[in-house]
Amino acid sequence: MLIPTLSVWVLAQLATRFPLGYSKRWGVRAIGSMSGFIFLSVAVPGGVVAFLKVAIGRARPILMDEVGIFSFTPFAGDWRFAGFPSGHATTAFALAWALYLLFGPRVMIVFFGAFLIALSRIVDGAHYLSDVLAGSAVGSIGAFWVQNQFQKRNLIFRIGKNGPKNGPSNRMLRPILRYFGRFRQFGQKPAEEQ
């Protein structure tokens, strides 16, 4: 998910260099900004977790019989000692929160998917429950931190008179909704035929 979102973000930045109409320029900027937000919301906590896994060095459940539950070997350089926190849970919850922060309750189903991914890491024997909970927390906190950074710079998210507002700025989404609204109208019958 990092490569597609980074690609769209970079391509959108390049596309704004070409002469586009006002609404198309805003549409391209909005898509690019949202892709950048999703990319950073997943990449920042993912980078933190990648470092923590190596620095903490918790043994995975496959080594439980040999070394026990509380075995830590920092900077071991072996994937079997990179269990805490779960990278999959971090990524799943970071993405779920990023999509929720962008699109609101319409995308609540992504949390069910994130929960299933986190649960699958325990069922597969790749992580303990604490690894998954810590990864979910880091992913969630990371997505909110990235949103806060975007909001401070007035990118996508806005700060209103009464403080921060949830959801992306209407100024960013309006051109996209207008563009996709044309496709909805395409399949409808004209009013005189109904």
Side-chain angles (χ1 to χ4, degrees):
M1 95 190 49
L2 292 177
I3 292 172
T5 54
L6 179 61
S7 301
V8 170
W9 189 17
V10 170
L11 289 173
Q13 295 302 318
L14 294 174
T16 58
R17 306 284 185 243
F18 294 101
L20 299 170
Y22 180 77
S23 63
K24 286 184 182 172
R25 179 178 300 275
W26 270 104
V28 168
R29 284 184 64 197
I31 290 171
S33 295
M34 286 190 270
S35 287
F37 172 70
I38 293 170
F39 171 79
L40 291 172
S41 293
V42 174
V44 169
V48 169
V49 163
F51 173 76
L52 289 176
K53 286 166 99 56
V54 174
I56 295 171
R58 183 176 190 187
R60 292 182 184 260
I62 59 169
L63 297 174
M64 184 172 47
D65 292 337
E66 298 170 31
V67 296
I69 295 175
F70 299 108
S71 175
F72 297 92
T73 310
F75 300 102
D78 185 356
W79 68 271
R80 297 175 303 166
F81 291 95
F84 183 85
S86 168
H88 284 82
T90 301
T91 300
F93 276 91
L95 177 63
W97 277 110
L99 293 175
Y100 178 80
L101 291 169
L102 283 174
F103 303 109
R106 292 172 280 204
V107 294
M108 287 296 287
I109 190 74
V110 296
F111 287 102
F112 181 67
F115 171 76
L116 289 179
I117 289 171
L119 182 64
S120 75
R121 303 306 290 162
I122 299 169
V123 173
D124 287 345
H127 290 287
Y128 295 107
L129 176 63
S130 59
D131 303 341
V132 168
L133 292 175
S136 303
V138 171
S140 301
I141 292 167
F144 279 102
W145 183 82
V146 171
Q147 184 215 16
N148 188 27
Q149 299 308 308
F150 269 65
Q151 202 166 40
K152 284 180 182 176
R153 290 158 182 80
N154 204 20
L155 297 170
I156 303 176
F157 304 97
R158 64 194 185 280
I159 298 178
K161 295 173 188 168
N162 299 327
K165 301 213 179 209
N166 290 332
S169 165
N170 286 335
R171 189 174 80 171
M172 295 297 279
L173 285 179
R174 196 174 298 127
I176 295 173
L177 296 175
R178 202 175 320 141
Y179 179 75
F180 286 111
R182 292 178 192 162
F183 291 113
R184 270 188 277 153
Q185 294 172 357
F186 181 73
Q188 296 176 352
K189 294 180 182 179
E192 59 270 2
E193 290 180 22
Q194 293 179 355

